[in-house]
Amino acid sequence: MYNSKTNKSGWSEEEKAFQYRSYGKGELAALYLPDILQQSAVEQFNKWIDAAPGLRQRLLSTGMTSRSRRYTPAQVKLIVEALEEP
């Protein structure tokens, strides 16, 4: 699926839709918070996950641990359902 977007010069660009795939934690956090450093983005992203009712528990039930470095596609789907697409 593609969305059309007009750039500053007025030309149309094709932009890919968000992909449900495996993401590194920092990589996904940076998509949601692109204007801050990655470590700060991860810290804020974790706060959002904790604030979303039941999200942390649903992620843990999929096998995520505090040591996990990546989100699985199933975990990404749960996050997007709670926080919307980045």
Side-chain angles (χ1 to χ4, degrees), residues 16-70:
K16 283 187 179 181
F18 181 77
Q19 293 183 5
Y20 291 88
R21 61 171 179 82
S22 178
Y23 286 89
K25 287 189 171 186
E27 178 186 16
L28 187 59
L31 290 175
Y32 278 91
L33 298 151
D35 297 327
I36 62 176
L37 294 173
Q38 190 177 62
Q39 182 58 41
S40 297
V42 170
E43 290 169 7
Q44 181 61 48
F45 192 62
N46 284 331
K47 290 177 185 177
W48 290 355
I49 287 173
D50 289 336
L55 179 56
R56 173 75 61 190
Q57 188 58 38
R58 288 192 304 272
L59 291 170
L60 292 172
S61 73
T62 66
M64 186 186 85
T65 69
S66 61
R67 294 181 164 257
S68 298
R69 294 183 177 250
R70 300 193 66 78

Side-chain angles (χ1 to χ4, degrees), residues 7 14 18 40 78:
N7 62 20
E14 294 299 321
F18 181 77
S40 297
L78 291 172

